[in-house]
Amino acid sequence: MSHTGIGARVRRKEDARHLMGRGRFVGDIKMPGLRDVAFLRSTHAHARIRSVTKPAGAEGALYTVDDLAGLSPIVTRSTIPGYKESTHWPLASGKVRFVGEPVAMAVAANRAEAEDLCDAVLVDFDPLPVIASSEAGRAPDAPRIHEEWSDNLFLESGFDSEVEEVARTAPVKVTREYRTARQCMHPMEGKGVLAYWDYQASQLVVVTSTQVPHMIRTGLAECLGLDQARIRVMPPDVGGGFGYKCVLQPEEVLIAWLALTRKTPFRWVEDRREHLTAGANTRQHQYRITAYADERGRLLGLDAEVMVDTGAYSVWPFTACLEPSQIAGNLPGPYDFQAYRCKTYTVATNKPAFTPYRGVARPGVCFAMELTIDAIARAVGREPVDVRAENLVTADQMPFTNVTKKHFDSGDYPASLRRAREMIKMDEVRERQGAAEPDGRRIGLGFATYTEQSAHGTSVFSSWGLSVIPGFDQASVKITPDGGVEVRAGIHTIGQGLETTLAQIASEILTIPIDRITVTLGDTATTPYSTGAYASRGIVMSGGATSKAAQVVAGQVRRIAAHLMKCTPEEVELKDGRIFAGNRSITFADVGFAWYMRPDLLPAGVDSRGLEATEAYKPDVDSGVFSYATHAAVVAVDPKTGMVEILDYVIVEDCGRRVNPMIVEGQAYGGTAQGIGTALFEESPYDDLGQPLASTLLDYLLPGPTELPSIRMDHFETLSPYSAHGIKGVGEGGAIAPPAAIVNAINDALAPLGAELTQIPATPERILAAILAAKGQMEKSRETAA
Amino acid sequence: MKAPVFDYHRARSVQDALAALADGNGDAKPMAGGCSLGPMLNLRLARPTRVVDLRHAPELRRVEETSDRLIIGALWTHAEIEDGAMPCATNGFLPSVAHGIAYRAVRNRGTIGGSVAHADPAADWISTLLTLDARLLIHAPDGERQASIDTFMLGGYSTELGDDELLTGIVLPKLSSRGRWAYHKICRKTGEFAKAIGAVLHDPERGLTRVVCGAIERTPILLEETSAALGRAGPQAAAAVLRDEIDRRLSDHDAVFRQMHHTAVDRALAELGSK
Ligand SMILES: Cc1cc2nc3c(=O)[nH]c(=O)nc-3n(C[C@H](O)[C@H](O)[C@H](O)COP(=O)(O)OP(=O)(O)OC[C@H]3O[C@@H](n4cnc5c(N)ncnc54)[C@H](O)[C@@H]3O)c2cc1C
């Protein structure tokens, strides 16, 4: 029998239905009496609502905030000192704070008719001055987005271990300003929610496209004033989450309220235009960084000031402050230095509420840090890889606690860099750069090394002051009467392959092949509690819980089998999906049969918990297990057009034990594709009036297959000392390094022209502008010299 | 993002379509491939009360050859042109441009007439047809006329077509066997509209020497001096005067924009030189 346990490269269980178009997403569901909902969204970024006039005859079909009897706003609490809460009414109350904010909700037989109703509503807006950037939000005389606040900062925070001394004495000093664009996450399936009242269970059933069903139940209960037992969150197939679906959505609250109030089914499915405007909610950072180093480029200290363009509201439950906390905590990267200061400003602006996206802050901090490393390398005249190697935490320092108290558990960071250098054939690239390209393009090479804190748990989230803090994750494992297995976990499957990998972990323990293991996820009525799928935690947390529950069940199986085979439990061995005692064997079905059908065969005093166990798990050290990788890119830049082609791309990653190597590769490919989008294409620009300028996919470019290079990959497997099976998370990593590696490569290509890019995406316009500016500089200095 | 209610009329002939448009009192819109009209309806940017589907009017798919002209109906799709479904009068120019439009799914539906009538400044056909000095056939309720592509497009998304008029065909010159062309477009990614277009045609036998710069956020422009230099002294001479002409004609744009367009045309000239 082929091994389907940990480490097996098996095909994903979930793919068959998706490849055949048999998935079941919110948009696929048909139900008698289902009504569609459309939202009338604000066309103003900041305005008082003088009045909303509904068309005649729209009673019962159009709702504004005044109609939402019994509903409470979303208020996200945090114990972080200085944090300001926002009151977020799912339909705007009194004023609107971003373009796309829902103002009214229309209900009709279909979406088109619901949109017709929205069209007929008249909203009288009284425009207010708009805050369309972090700078504008921090201006002393800035208008307030939330009137009751003293300024527009959700939070001003940071980290300080004193940099004054190195600032005075360091021989090398490099200062840069960096900007990362605002983005949309673009899961293939947008948000979607359907809700109805289940009379039999006397429950509100919310079928929602979410990563975090159990948390959503808690959030909905708070807003609806309902007992949690009266709510069942039943997520269907979810077409990608990336963070977009890890927070309580105003639309989720509204559809649930409609179903609760009217006791009939309602649905809303986000369309791409809504996503592009009301969903432009992530990634936008601005950095000012000064790095101090010695003549070899050894980092002595880092002084940073960072602004996050946070949008108008604080998302539930992660708050507006997750991003700045992650920025301040992760900016030092995989490097070993002690003097560090980072001030963060979490600025409220008239844009959609900032939401954590795959990699959470780290694509930005990796971009800022890794560009700074390359800038130091240029300043000291060394190879950027050598300067990196000089600064990386080494294998013999592990476990290592860095300046911000990140506890790196295991790994060999410099080895990943060396391997990437070897795979990308650095020496050949350098040689090629010596000769001119026949097509006039310029070749560049860039590296980026990062760590991915994964499955960080209680201690980390409580230090961020959140009101919902992950603790133990639970999973149930059960042997069926015919010897199959059912696994249940409260985490949800969103495309990351958990239906397969949790089955593989159960298979590892029980030796039963995964095609006899059924995995049920997410439904609050049938699965034990988990805070959900985010923070690269699923495989560590739910995987650990599945492993633990499977081990308990294996013990039960052994004891019953020992009785049936007349031997001791110690003599029983589970192997190849059977149960052995020496060379005699029985099947799991024999044990299942005895437990369920023929209890007369069971030993006296048999453990009454039977062939089923629910176990809770968290790693021994809950500060996270650190995956890491080095990405290396070779690019060709056309200095006449600013176009970039990625000629080669290499990833050397280490996520501990790989439960399914193919899924690990898939996560790295997919994440890297998104990272390439961040690096070169994706941007949601706003004008000064807070109007989103990218409202269709003509304006917002996503990379497609033809824009992606074939990525070459290598893996290390350094087990984590803290987690079950030594597994680390891998969901986010791919998205972290590409902007840094690619822009470092672009800057390497542009260095001979004196041009340097510090902003993403690296569009042809920005690259050309940098080249033209450098040319102007050179001409000017030549004139002054002459 | 769903369209508001409208009537749908499937026209069986040009006359039928014209009548249906006239009947709509300015509120009717013709639909060809629907690639642009469809999204505009869904975004509720276009709100016609009636949509007149042109795809079943046989005259709009005619092909007519004379000694020096090829006339094709407006409803030929990009994919059909790419595949050579009709005779090619342009030494491969049209099929090559068609091949570079969007991706096959769009080319299967989008039509040359729809593209020209839509008049997106970044679209490929308007720049191509300007380079070829093509003429357009227009049917109005009171008869048929021809328009020059130079004057047909009034600006971005704006043409001289009236609400009750149809673009019915394209009149293309037949190039001589020595006629050469080159087309260079700069796009961010496959299938994306152009950021800059450079198009060059050199057919002295037919008296056609034209250099065009397109995707300039308004009607593409014929670069007269560069064209003259090309006719007089070849691609290198043309390239020598190009920078000045671009800087002058695109002086309302920034240096980056001009650089990109200069490169597109410069490369088209270089490609022509190497043909
Ligand atoms: C994703 C995508 C990518 C694209 N990329 C490119 C590209 O790279 N290059 C490029 O050139 N184009 C591109 N296009 C445009 C596309 O190729 C079509 O040319 C364009 O959408 C219009 O053609 P259509 O036949 O679909 O016209 P429709 O959408 O049916 O009509 C467009 C407009 O023209 C009017 N109209 C249509 N036919 C006539 C007629 N015969 N007489 C009068 N009025 C008429 C309609 O009323 C409407 O206002 C792209 C389109 C999409 C959707």
Side-chain angles (χ1 to χ4, degrees):
Chain A
M1 189 188 312
S2 68
H3 170 73
T4 62
I6 292 178
R9 212 173 233 289
V10 292
R11 291 203 179 156
R12 305 201 312 176
K13 290 163 80 74
E14 45 273 75
D15 286 348
R17 71 173 183 277
H18 290 314
L19 291 173
M20 293 189 306
R22 296 277 185 263
R24 184 172 162 275
F25 299 88
V26 171
D28 295 319
I29 297 170
K30 295 194 169 64
M31 197 171 255
L34 180 63
R35 312 274 292 167
D36 272 312
V37 172
F39 293 101
L40 173 65
R41 293 175 182 276
S42 175
T43 51
H44 286 265
H46 199 193
R48 222 165 282 294
I49 300 172
R50 281 208 202 93
S51 63
V52 180
T53 314
K54 300 176 192 172
E59 293 73 29
L62 262 171
Y63 298 82
T64 65
V65 69
D66 298 332
D67 303 314
L68 303 178
L71 195 77
S72 305
I74 301 171
V75 180
T76 312
R77 309 214 152 72
S78 167
T79 57
I80 281 195
Y83 162 75
K84 300 190 194 78
E85 291 170 1
S86 58
T87 301
H88 188 182
W89 283 96
L91 292 175
S93 170
K95 74 177 194 175
V96 289
R97 295 183 174 85
F98 65 92
V99 172
E101 179 164 5
V103 175
M105 168 166 73
V107 169
N110 59 51
R111 174 68 178 254
E113 285 175 19
E115 288 185 22
D116 289 347
L117 265 175
C118 288
D119 273 357
V121 178
L122 238 130
V123 187
D124 186 5
F125 288 112
D126 179 13
L128 294 167
V130 171
I131 292 177
S133 69
S134 299
E135 290 99 330
R138 284 181 64 199
D141 54 348
R144 300 276 178 274
I145 289 186
H146 298 281
E147 267 93 8
E148 64 282 13
W149 290 12
S150 53
D151 54 27
N152 285 315
L153 295 176
F154 279 104
L155 184 70
E156 195 178 329
S157 63
F159 184 92
D160 194 348
S161 73
E162 296 189 2
V163 289
E164 286 76 9
E165 175 67 23
V166 295
R168 243 192 344 270
T169 57
V172 175
K173 181 179 147 189
V174 165
T175 299
R176 290 290 184 281
E177 286 181 24
Y178 303 109
R179 278 166 186 265
T180 60
R182 198 171 200 81
Q183 280 186 245
C184 300
M185 299 185 211
H186 282 293
M188 260 203 254
E189 180 212 22
K191 287 189 232 171
V193 54
L194 179 156
Y196 60 93
W197 183 259
D198 178 341
Y199 279 95
Q200 185 193 2
S202 198
Q203 267 184 332
L204 174 68
V205 181
V206 183
V207 181
T208 182
S209 184
T210 185
Q211 300 166 233
V212 291
H214 287 266
M215 284 209 289
I216 293 302
R217 176 161 81 157
T218 303
L220 286 176
E222 272 180 29
C223 289
L224 298 172
L226 208 57
D227 287 350
Q228 296 201 26
R230 291 272 75 82
I231 302 176
R232 174 179 187 181
V233 175
M234 193 168 73
D237 269 323
V238 173
F242 309 121
Y244 193 57
K245 302 172 185 172
C246 78
V247 299
L248 182 66
Q249 310 287 358
E251 295 91 350
E252 261 167 346
V253 175
L254 291 167
I255 301 300
W257 178 86
L258 273 174
L260 175 67
T261 311
R262 305 255 305 248
K263 301 283 192 290
T264 55
F266 293 90
R267 169 172 59 194
W268 169 74
V269 176
E270 181 188 53
D271 66 32
R272 209 43 72 172
R273 189 177 174 82
E274 287 179 301
H275 183 74
L276 280 157
T277 50
N281 60 13
T282 197
R283 287 282 194 258
Q284 194 169 13
H285 302 172
Q286 265 170 267
Y287 297 80
R288 189 185 155 78
I289 287 184
T290 299
Y292 302 100
D294 69 13
E295 284 95 347
R296 293 182 54 74
R298 168 117 204 133
L299 269 171
L300 302 172
L302 196 76
D303 195 358
E305 207 180 275
V306 192
M307 292 190 281
V308 184
D309 188 329
T310 312
Y313 298 105
S314 184
V315 292
W316 190 96
F318 292 111
T319 78
C321 306
L322 182 71
E323 191 81 2
S325 301
Q326 290 268 48
I327 289 172
N330 287 297
L331 186 58
Y335 302 113
D336 176 10
F337 63 92
Q338 289 309 316
Y340 175 54
R341 178 165 62 191
C342 181
K343 261 192 96 60
T344 60
Y345 299 91
T346 309
V347 191
T349 56
N350 290 118
K351 295 182 190 169
F354 203 102
T355 304
Y357 173 28
R358 193 176 200 173
V360 190
R362 286 160 294 184
V365 298
C366 179
F367 174 72
M369 190 66 198
E370 292 298 280
L371 261 68
T372 302
I373 294 281
D374 273 38
I376 292 172
R378 281 195 291 278
V380 301
R382 293 186 73 195
E383 273 290 355
V385 265
D386 294 336
V387 170
R388 268 189 189 82
E390 188 90 35
N391 287 293
L392 285 172
V393 171
T394 60
D396 52 20
Q397 288 175 289
M398 293 292 174
F400 177 85
T401 302
N402 85 349
V403 59
T404 57
K405 302 285 175 286
K406 297 282 171 199
H407 183 71
F408 302 155
D409 53 327
S410 65
D412 190 339
Y413 304 170
S416 80
L417 180 64
R418 281 196 300 277
R419 179 74 185 119
R421 171 191 177 144
E422 189 181 295
M423 284 175 70
I424 203 88
K425 302 198 180 76
M426 181 170 115
D427 299 338
E428 284 176 27
V429 178
R430 290 291 181 235
E431 204 169 303
R432 179 174 173 184
Q433 285 176 308
E437 294 290 313
D439 59 7
R441 294 194 296 178
R442 291 183 170 271
I443 305 296
L445 168 65
F447 291 86
T449 306
Y450 68 89
T451 62
E452 176 189 6
Q453 183 177 21
S454 68
H456 28 306
T458 313
S459 57
V460 178
F461 279 84
S462 63
S463 78
W464 293 335
L466 297 188
S467 55
V468 178
I469 293 166
F472 290 89
D473 259 57
Q474 288 178 302
S476 305
V477 172
K478 172 178 172 181
I479 305 284
T480 57
D482 59 353
V485 182
E486 289 173 352
V487 176
R488 291 189 165 74
I491 194 161
H492 199 49
T493 171
I494 55 173
Q496 79 281 52
L498 271 182
E499 285 170 57
T500 306
T501 46
L502 293 187
Q504 285 186 259
I505 288 174
S507 171
E508 177 73 19
I509 306 296
L510 296 166
T511 79
I512 295 170
I514 59 164
D515 57 9
R516 295 223 54 204
I517 302 177
T518 305
V519 178
T520 302
L521 300 170
D523 185 341
T524 59
T526 59
T527 63
Y529 189 83
S530 161
T531 52
Y534 58 94
S536 298
R537 63 195 300 281
I539 197 62
V540 177
M541 304 301 298
S542 303
T546 301
S547 175
K548 205 168 157 187
Q551 287 174 50
V552 171
V553 169
Q556 300 284 73
V557 168
R558 270 201 194 87
R559 282 186 286 277
I560 295 172
H563 180 73
L564 296 177
M565 292 199 281
K566 303 190 172 31
C567 63
T568 66
E570 291 70 39
E571 287 171 284
V572 172
E573 192 193 356
L574 310 184
K575 209 173 77 186
D576 297 340
R578 292 180 72 86
I579 303 160
F580 288 87
N583 49 21
R584 289 180 301 138
S585 74
I586 59 171
T587 65
F588 279 87
D590 294 331
V591 174
F593 178 75
W595 171 259
Y596 293 103
M597 262 59 119
R598 294 289 306 276
D600 53 312
L601 299 177
L602 295 172
V606 65
D607 188 329
S608 60
R609 286 170 303 172
L611 296 177
E612 183 168 358
T614 299
E615 288 293 320
Y617 171 83
K618 75 177 187 168
D620 306 335
V621 176
D622 71 9
S623 56
V625 288
F626 285 73
S627 297
Y628 64 95
T630 298
H631 288 210
V634 178
V635 302
V637 183
D638 186 334
K640 293 246 166 89
T641 62
M643 300 288 284
V644 175
E645 185 189 353
I646 302 172
L647 301 178
D648 196 7
Y649 202 97
V650 158
I651 297 174
V652 180
E653 72 84 44
D654 185 348
C655 62
R657 174 85 80 229
R658 287 174 296 157
V659 175
N660 183 332
M662 199 152 60
I663 289 180
V664 168
E665 286 156 17
Q667 288 296 311
Y669 288 134
T672 301
Q674 285 180 312
I676 289 172
T678 302
L680 295 175
F681 298 103
E682 298 182 43
E683 179 167 20
S684 304
Y686 280 75
D687 70 10
D688 290 344
L689 293 175
Q691 292 293 332
L693 301 179
S695 61
T696 74
L697 290 173
L698 276 182
D699 322 303
Y700 189 102
L701 296 191
L702 289 164
T706 46
E707 284 69 54
L708 298 174
S710 19
I711 295 166
R712 298 184 293 128
M713 223 181 275
D714 197 12
H715 306 270
F716 300 160
E717 271 199 346
T718 317
L719 304 196
S720 173
Y722 304 136
S723 65
H725 307 285
I727 298 168
K728 304 180 182 185
V730 72
E732 299 172 271
I736 295 175
I742 289 167
V743 177
N744 273 338
I746 292 171
N747 283 341
D748 185 47
L750 298 184
L753 304 176
E756 183 180 330
L757 223 68
T758 52
Q759 186 174 357
I760 41 176
T763 57
E765 285 83 358
R766 289 195 176 112
I767 290 173
L768 277 186
I771 292 172
L772 291 176
K775 211 159 138 194
Q777 278 295 325
M778 271 182 208
E779 271 156 23
K780 214 183 291 160
S781 58
R782 220 171 292 138
E783 274 163 31
T784 11
Chain B
M1 232 175 51
K2 301 283 182 209
V5 172
F6 56 80
D7 290 334
Y8 170 84
H9 178 80
R10 175 175 288 184
R12 297 290 172 183
S13 67
V14 168
Q15 274 321 312
D16 180 11
L18 287 171
L21 287 176
D23 203 31
N25 290 325
D27 262 351
K29 267 219 163 272
M31 180 174 76
C35 290
S36 296
L37 186 59
M40 287 193 301
L41 290 170
N42 281 344
L43 293 168
R44 301 188 172 218
L45 294 173
R47 292 172 175 253
T49 50
R50 162 183 294 182
V51 167
V52 180
D53 188 347
L54 304 178
R55 288 175 306 162
H56 303 270
E59 307 106 289
L60 293 175
R61 295 175 55 80
R62 70 173 162 152
V63 180
E64 219 176 281
E65 257 187 290
T66 67
S67 59
D68 62 346
R69 306 262 148 205
L70 177 74
I71 302 175
I72 61 171
L75 265 279
W76 287 99
T77 64
H78 314 325
E80 287 163 333
I81 297 172
E82 175 184 21
D83 295 348
M86 78 276 304
C88 180
T90 57
N91 296 347
F93 193 6
L94 254 51
S96 170
V97 169
H99 175 71
I101 296 175
Y103 31 83
R104 188 73 189 191
V106 172
R107 299 201 287 274
N108 279 337
R109 292 195 69 89
T111 66
I112 187 166
S115 176
V116 172
H118 189 53
D120 185 330
D124 291 279
W125 288 132
I126 49 165
S127 287
T128 306
L129 296 186
L130 177 61
T131 313
L132 281 163
D133 199 17
R135 296 184 68 77
L136 306 173
L137 287 182
I138 296 169
H139 274 76
D142 55 359
E144 189 183 332
R145 68 173 192 278
Q146 283 200 14
S148 146
I149 181 93
D150 287 313
T151 49
F152 172 78
M153 187 168 160
L154 305 176
Y157 308 102
S158 160
T159 70
E160 60 162 84
L161 277 179
D163 291 336
D164 55 356
E165 296 183 329
L166 283 177
L167 174 62
T168 49
I170 322 280
V171 186
L172 298 158
K174 278 186 169 173
L175 298 186
S176 76
S177 60
R178 292 178 45 218
R180 291 172 301 149
W181 55 269
Y183 190 80
H184 190 93
K185 75 169 166 173
I186 298 174
C187 347
R188 288 288 295 286
K189 49 176 260 190
T190 310
E192 213 52 42
F193 274 97
K195 281 202 153 303
I197 290 174
V200 188
L201 177 67
H202 186 48
D203 192 351
E205 255 169 61
R206 298 296 319 270
L208 285 170
T209 300
R210 292 166 75 89
V211 181
V212 164
C213 178
I216 56 170
E217 296 172 356
R218 51 188 158 90
T219 311
I221 47 174
L222 182 68
L223 299 170
E224 277 121 10
E225 285 165 32
T226 309
S227 302
L230 175 64
R232 223 173 28 244
Q236 280 189 354
V241 301
L242 175 65
R243 170 74 73 178
D244 268 0
E245 191 170 17
I246 291 269
D247 282 351
R248 209 160 4 85
R249 300 285 303 274
L250 301 183
S251 59
D252 50 335
H253 287 282
D254 66 17
V256 165
F257 192 93
R258 294 198 301 268
Q259 160 79 34
M260 197 109 60
H261 286 79
H262 172 261
T263 304
V265 182
D266 191 43
R267 288 188 178 168
L269 284 169
E271 282 160 33
L272 189 83
S274 66
K275 269 192 175 173

